[in-house]
Amino acid sequence: MTDLDTKNSRVGLIVAGTAVLMVGMAYAAVPLYELFCQVTGYGGTTQEVASVDDTVIDRDIKVRFAASTHRDMAWEFKPSQGDQRLKVGEQSLAYYEAYNPTNKTIVGRATYNVTPHKAGSYFAKIDCFCFTEQVLKPGERVDMPVVYYIDPSIDEDRNLDEVTEVTLSYTFFALDGEEAQEAIVASGR
């Protein structure tokens, strides 16, 4: 092997290694970003909680609900209510409706965010359908609940004194391949 062949082989290995690394990072980016957002509340990501603080304060806040689907998702998806008004710290229940108008079973997963983004870490979800696979058979319609509250510590954050309204938004994405098949089997449907 000549010196030129050795250099070409080395460059080829570096390029191939870089390509493999980039593909790996592309697959890891979404779950790592979701984890980062859930931990920090970055990008309007809400906090999930197991228990509720019973403190309710005399500060009204309006929660708007929004829904969308990725362009590859055939479902119809919408909030069942446009908005709710509640006291900060008060637990509330909202519903979103999903409908599969197609003739095939579709598996979906929702992501969410809160705007304004700076209020995301104070939006606490107790129960939610996000980040779990939802399986809808042809023509099936389901109501999906979200139990939530606005953490009373929002009142201590002077940067949020002007916030009187937040929007909880979900986007559904279609899953396919092995991941979708596993969800269908796991659901027993």
Side-chain angles (χ1 to χ4, degrees), residues 3-32:
D3 222 15
L4 184 59
D5 290 339
T6 303
K7 286 180 182 180
N8 286 343
S9 294
R10 189 176 307 149
V11 169
L13 284 174
I14 290 171
V15 169
T18 302
V20 168
L21 179 65
M22 291 174 71
V23 168
M25 292 298 287
Y27 277 102
V30 171
L32 289 175

Side-chain angles (χ1 to χ4, degrees), residues 17 22 43 47 50 63 67 69 75 98 126 137 169 179 182-183 187:
M22 291 174 71
Q47 303 302 307
V63 179
T69 57
W75 289 357
I126 300 163
K137 289 184 174 184
S169 178
E179 191 174 22
E182 288 174 4
S187 73

Side-chain angles (χ1 to χ4, degrees), residues 72-172:
D72 297 332
M73 171 54 95
W75 289 357
E76 294 173 12
F77 178 57
K78 64 182 182 179
S80 297
Q81 63 287 303
D83 59 63
Q84 293 177 339
R85 184 166 293 285
L86 60 147
K87 298 281 185 196
V88 169
E90 179 182 2
Q91 184 176 319
S92 192
L93 171 66
Y95 286 94
Y96 282 77
E97 179 185 284
Y99 170 63
N100 179 358
T102 72
N103 61 359
K104 64 179 185 168
T105 299
I106 297 177
V107 179
R109 182 182 299 140
T111 60
Y112 61 90
N113 72 2
V114 170
T115 53
H117 295 307
K118 62 185 180 179
S121 60
Y122 297 100
F123 196 103
K125 292 185 299 163
I126 300 163
D127 189 24
C128 173
F129 55 87
C130 53
F131 296 122
T132 57
E133 291 77 20
Q134 305 294 323
V135 179
L136 268 65
K137 289 184 174 184
E140 185 174 12
R141 184 181 308 270
V142 295
D143 287 324
M144 296 176 285
V146 178
V147 180
Y148 71 95
Y149 69 98
I150 307 298
D151 190 315
S153 62
I154 194 173
D155 208 41
E156 299 165 14
D157 189 336
R158 294 299 144 226
N159 293 322
L160 295 168
D161 284 348
E162 81 287 355
V163 174
T164 59
E165 181 176 302
V166 297
T167 300
L168 175 62
S169 178
Y170 286 93
T171 301
F172 252 106

